[in-house]
Amino acid sequence: MKQIMTVKRLFLLFLCVPLFSFAQSVKKLPAIGTIHSIDNSSKILQQSLPAKGKIVFVFYDPGCGHCQELGVSISKEYASFGAAQIFFITMNEKTYVDTYISKYAKGLKDKKNVSFWQDPGVEFMEKFMPSSYPATYVFDAASKNLIKDFQGENDAKKIVPFLR
């Protein structure tokens, strides 16, 4: 059953990504209704967003090489992220996320301002319109305005200047 769900998600991803690659990136933080904590499906992302500071969304796939590199990079540069809230969002199941954390984001596991979330459908793709993995978005929490987005291969050092 899990393999069927994974195949369905991959199919949707390959079907939707070309459609979104011509779209404009989101400019305001949209409402998020179905993305939930990887550890607790009743904990919805929208309810966990801070009212001040910076919000960083990292939309990733645990098996993606560039996503793995970004996890390592953010772990190494964690201190530079200050008080920004970092939300890692994937469409994959918890077992894949746990493996990703243990191999590529070890230093982030117990950080208070870092959390891991699952999109059980395609809400993130529909609302944020990423063009490739990983897709990273930095928002101002108070105004909900997009500060900067990064599509594809990325490094934490490129993100940090937009957190000030």
Side-chain angles (χ1 to χ4, degrees):
M1 185 65 167
K2 283 185 180 181
Q3 289 176 335
I4 292 171
M5 291 304 291
T6 301
V7 171
K8 282 183 180 178
R9 287 193 179 138
L10 285 174
F11 176 74
L12 284 172
L13 177 65
F14 289 117
L15 182 66
C16 294
V17 168
L19 296 174
F20 294 127
S21 62
F22 298 106
Q24 289 278 349
S25 181
V26 65
K27 300 295 181 203
K28 278 281 214 193
L29 181 60
I32 303 166
T34 62
I35 299 172
H36 58 78
S37 169
I38 199 74
D39 294 319
N40 178 356
S41 62
S42 65
K43 185 177 178 182
I44 303 300
L45 178 60
Q46 184 70 40
Q47 299 162 349
S48 298
L49 297 176
K52 61 182 181 176
K54 300 295 188 285
I55 297 170
V56 178
F57 290 129
V58 178
F59 185 60
Y60 74 106
D61 182 309
C64 159
H66 293 307
C67 302
Q68 294 165 355
E69 291 170 7
L70 184 57
V72 170
S73 179
I74 292 173
S75 291
K76 287 181 181 177
E77 295 293 324
Y78 172 75
S80 301
F81 277 70
Q85 293 291 310
I86 307 167
F87 299 93
F88 281 82
I89 302 166
T90 186
M91 295 170 72
N92 293 97
E93 303 294 325
K94 181 175 175 19
T95 55
Y96 298 106
V97 174
D98 290 342
T99 301
Y100 176 85
I101 294 168
S102 68
K103 287 186 175 183
Y104 309 106
K106 293 178 217 178
L108 303 176
K109 186 175 182 173
D110 295 318
K111 301 299 184 194
K112 194 169 92 172
N113 62 327
V114 178
S115 52
F116 293 84
W117 302 81
Q118 182 186 28
D119 182 349
V122 292
E123 180 178 19
F124 194 92
M125 288 193 307
E126 290 176 343
K127 292 185 177 178
F128 290 82
M129 299 173 278
S131 62
S132 74
Y133 279 121
T136 306
Y137 300 83
V138 179
F139 287 92
D140 176 72
S143 69
K144 307 290 189 238
N145 288 329
L146 177 69
I147 296 170
K148 178 73 175 167
D149 74 292
F150 302 88
Q151 303 295 315
E153 187 176 0
N154 194 8
D155 182 85
K157 289 181 181 179
K158 294 178 184 175
I159 300 168
V160 169
F162 298 95
L163 302 176
R164 297 186 179 111

